[in-house]
Amino acid sequence: QSVLTQAPSASGTPGQRVTISCSGSSSNIGSNTVNWYQQLPGTAPKLLIYTNNQRPSGVPDRFSGSKSGTSASLAISGLQSGDEADYYCATWDDSLNGVVFGGGTKLSVL
Amino acid sequence: QVQLQESGPGLVKPSETLSLTCTVSGGSISSYHWSWIRQPPGKGLEWIGCFYYSGSTNYNPSLKSRITMSVDTSKSQLSLKLSSVAAADTAVYYCARASSRDYYGMDVWGHGTTVTVSS
């Protein structure tokens, strides 16, 4: 049971816009920044969005992040087949005094 | 740019101590914080703990009693020791460059090393 809640799966068709949500509480998302990771099959996770809505160099602007209260979202526009991956949200938890991850959302491009 | 490479035994017997190493290249190990994360087969990510450049550590409460993290600056290596392992510790173990309170996330990851706990 993950501290942060994500839907286990999401899907979309090429070109579509999809949103992946991450729900937490006042001790984690509510008081800390949220980061998102993309894990392509068989590879290590890659930082996709940091500090709620910032993109590391090289990440296309099709990927965007937002945070409101105790929830955060990752939006992917212009969906591509190469976006099929697992997506994880993560943040600091003040109660646990450590990093917590969501359970991950598996994105399928139909 | 900073690159990370994990290494370890691959197979560990139950009740033994798992020892992993993460070699840092392309940057100073003393200038950053470093985290270990693991991923059991078919499951999600679990943060294990962090070694801060100050020399302090912070461990996942669920693993705290079994974890030791350290840094060997002369070899530019991070070390993770997990004692009394069981089948539930079977996972891919990653090291990553970290940030304080995860403010900026973990921006550089190793490829991971697979550890199987079995007799």
Side-chain angles (χ1 to χ4, degrees):
Chain A
Q1 190 80 351
S2 302
V3 174
L4 304 180
T5 301
Q6 295 181 243
S9 63
S11 63
T13 56
Q16 202 173 25
R17 182 179 188 270
V18 297
T19 301
I20 296 171
S21 298
C22 176
S23 177
S25 67
S26 58
S27 68
N28 43 65
I29 292 178
S31 50
N32 294 287
T33 62
V34 177
N35 306 300
W36 289 90
Y37 298 89
Q38 177 193 58
Q39 186 174 32
L40 297 169
T43 69
K46 166 192 168 184
L47 182 64
L48 194 65
I49 296 289
Y50 68 95
T51 316
N52 302 329
N53 54 20
Q54 303 299 303
R55 284 186 306 276
S57 174
V59 173
D61 59 7
R62 300 187 298 108
F63 296 90
S64 62
S66 64
K67 179 187 127 174
S68 178
T70 59
S71 294
S73 294
L74 171 70
I76 309 172
S77 61
L79 202 59
Q80 301 176 1
S81 59
D83 297 333
E84 282 205 334
D86 293 322
Y87 292 86
Y88 294 90
C89 58
T91 187
W92 185 265
D93 189 290
D94 294 334
S95 297
L96 298 175
N97 199 32
V99 177
V100 290
F101 286 95
T105 297
K106 186 176 189 65
L107 175 64
S108 298
V109 180
L110 306 173
Chain B
Q1 69 279 22
V2 173
Q3 292 184 313
L4 308 177
Q5 178 65 60
E6 304 89 345
S7 59
L11 180 65
V12 183
K13 289 182 169 55
S15 81
E16 293 188 342
T17 294
L18 165 66
S19 294
L20 298 177
T21 297
C22 173
T23 301
V24 179
S25 59
S28 172
I29 195 171
S30 303
S31 300
Y32 301 100
H33 310 315
W34 305 98
S35 274
W36 286 94
I37 305 97
R38 70 180 183 179
Q39 185 171 33
K43 296 188 178 180
L45 302 169
E46 179 183 31
W47 178 77
I48 298 171
C50 187
F51 186 98
Y52 299 98
Y53 63 61
S54 64
S56 64
T57 55
N58 191 18
Y59 300 148
N60 186 322
S62 68
L63 300 169
K64 188 173 184 176
S65 63
R66 299 195 289 133
I67 301 173
T68 303
M69 290 185 184
S70 61
V71 162
D72 185 335
T73 55
S74 67
K75 296 181 179 179
S76 200
Q77 288 181 336
L78 320 170
S79 171
L80 170 68
K81 294 186 187 301
L82 180 64
S83 64
S84 304
V85 298
D89 295 311
T90 293
V92 177
Y93 285 74
Y94 299 99
C95 57
R97 188 168 70 178
S99 55
S100 181
R101 298 178 63 83
D102 204 40
Y103 189 88
Y104 299 106
M106 290 173 268
D107 66 337
V108 180
W109 292 63
H111 294 295
T113 186
T114 299
V115 175
T116 301
V117 179
S118 175
S119 55

